[in-house]
Amino acid sequence: MIYEAEFWVAVAFVIFVLGLLKLGAHRTVTGALDDRTARIRAELDEAKRLREEAQALLAEYQRRRAEAEREADDIVATAKAEGERLQAEAKTKVEEFVARRTQMAETKIAQAEAQAIADVRNAAADAAVAAAETILVDTVKGKVAGKLIADGIKDLKARLN
């Protein structure tokens, strides 16, 4: 057994491990492992904190988005109501405009009709006066005839106008 290589490898290994323990290598290794554990724990804590912040930020942005959607819906509803109001107002104005234009057209037509009637009366009066003058000139002669004609013409014009 003493001559076997495995025995001496085992003895060397035990001596090596005892030497490491004597030099305090186990404290260095455990310290390094503890430091690494602490560093990993700190990273995990930081990751957890960052995740919570991200979730809070996400919730804030979702709230803002919902608020913006509500505001957009309100704006659309207001714009729609305003459009309907403007449409009704425009319709009323157009109806009033058409009524005014119709009234103005009817007034102009009535004035033109009255003017046409007056023109026809004047033309008829002038024609009647001319005819009466011609008839009276042919039938009545002298100064009396001229005076009668003039008085008749004035009287006729006054009556017909």
Side-chain angles (χ1 to χ4, degrees), residues 1 7 21 36 62 102 128:
M1 166 162 155
F7 173 75
L21 287 175
R36 182 176 166 121
Q62 287 175 341
T102 303

Side-chain angles (χ1 to χ4, degrees), residues 66-98:
E67 188 176 295
E69 286 177 356
R70 279 193 306 273
E71 189 174 318
D73 290 343
D74 290 345
I75 289 171
V76 167
T78 301
K80 187 175 181 181
E82 181 70 14
E84 290 173 355
R85 185 190 63 80
L86 288 175
Q87 184 180 13
E89 187 176 297
K91 182 179 178 185
T92 303
K93 285 183 179 181
V94 166
E95 288 173 354
E96 289 174 359
F97 176 76
V98 167

